[in-house]
Amino acid sequence: MPHLPEHLLAGYRNFMSGRYPAESGRYRSLAREGQAPETMIVACCDSRSAPEAIFDAGPGELFVLRNVGNLVPPYEPDGEYHSTSAALEFAVQSLKVKNIVVMGHGRCGGIRAALDTNSAPLSPGDFIGKWMSLIAPAAETVSSSTFMTATERQTALERISIRYSIANLRTFPCVSIIEGKGRLTLHGAWFDISTGELWVMNKETGDFERPEL
Ligand SMILES: [Zn+2]
């Protein structure tokens, strides 16, 4: 007897009676011709910041990679398991995406964990602690600022980590070479869950600004 939580089955019934019939032509052509998304999004796993919902994207439009804290690690061809780097390699080398957007969000639990180094790990493996240690130097600097409130520190590190991930993207030879040829553009964005506001990184200054809509 196949089994899924009832709310997932209910959602799937809605999909098959609504969205799938409306977009079946698109699904069939994507199945026939393969995917060719122009944009890769690196987003957080957080259930409140789904890129497909925020950008109102249909099937085949976005190549989405989600991990805790929307981090891109530096290029490390060391034979270890690098799921983020594998997705990046596929997006750039095979799909030849034209844009990569690193999208952070407000109230990020991963970022909060990076700032709160006193709390005990969730498991002996402390996978979150190890993963978020990628931004430990920035987290320590932000944590030590007594002029900022806890909320300001959180937002600051959320945005710093986006710039950090974009810098790490450029440590991948495949990214920096193709960007240098003008065939790939890197972007940063930050989504405020409570208001729905999207803030977009200014490429020159690194500041986050509201786009004209
Ligand atoms: Zn998050």
Side-chain angles (χ1 to χ4, degrees):
M1 172 103 174
H3 195 260
L4 273 179
E6 183 49 42
H7 68 279
L8 293 184
L9 286 174
Y12 177 64
R13 275 194 290 273
N14 288 342
F15 172 75
M16 286 309 285
S17 62
R19 187 161 179 178
Y20 188 79
E23 300 189 88
S24 59
R26 176 97 181 114
Y27 275 105
R28 274 197 288 271
S29 87
L30 284 166
R32 201 169 48 242
E33 292 156 25
Q35 62 169 334
E38 293 193 351
T39 300
M40 175 183 192
I41 311 263
V42 181
C44 184
C45 295
D46 193 298
S47 59
R48 303 164 296 178
S49 68
E52 293 89 341
I54 293 166
F55 296 110
D56 192 25
E61 282 184 41
L62 299 178
F63 186 76
V64 176
L65 165 69
R66 299 178 74 169
N67 63 38
V68 173
N70 44 268
L71 298 181
V72 176
Y75 176 67
E76 286 179 322
D78 54 13
E80 296 298 322
Y81 300 103
H82 292 291
S83 70
T84 298
S85 306
L88 178 64
E89 178 183 78
F90 184 69
V92 173
Q93 303 283 57
S94 178
L95 297 175
K96 301 191 189 318
V97 295
K98 294 176 179 159
N99 302 288
I100 301 176
V101 182
V102 177
M103 185 178 76
H105 69 97
R107 297 166 168 78
C108 180
I111 297 292
R112 192 180 311 121
L115 284 168
D116 180 13
T117 49
N118 293 326
S119 60
L122 294 179
S123 77
D126 190 22
F127 296 110
I128 295 174
K130 171 68 177 166
W131 177 244
M132 296 310 294
S133 74
L134 281 166
I135 56 167
E140 282 164 25
T141 304
V142 171
S143 294
S144 66
S145 170
T146 52
F147 295 107
M148 299 161 85
T149 67
T151 306
E152 286 168 343
R153 283 194 287 271
Q154 166 95 17
T155 304
L157 190 59
E158 283 163 0
R159 294 177 173 192
I160 288 167
S161 73
I162 294 166
R163 291 193 290 269
Y164 166 84
S165 288
I166 290 173
N168 279 346
L169 280 171
R170 297 194 169 107
T171 66
F172 286 76
C174 62
V175 170
S176 60
I177 290 169
I178 295 172
E179 186 189 26
K181 290 178 178 172
R183 298 206 300 261
L184 176 65
T185 309
L186 308 183
H187 310 264
W190 179 86
F191 177 68
D192 185 338
I193 292 167
S194 62
T195 62
E197 288 181 358
L198 187 73
W199 292 67
V200 177
M201 197 186 79
N202 179 312
K203 283 190 178 54
E204 275 76 48
T205 64
D207 286 321
F208 284 78
E209 303 162 0
R210 297 296 315 282
E212 300 248 348
L213 296 176

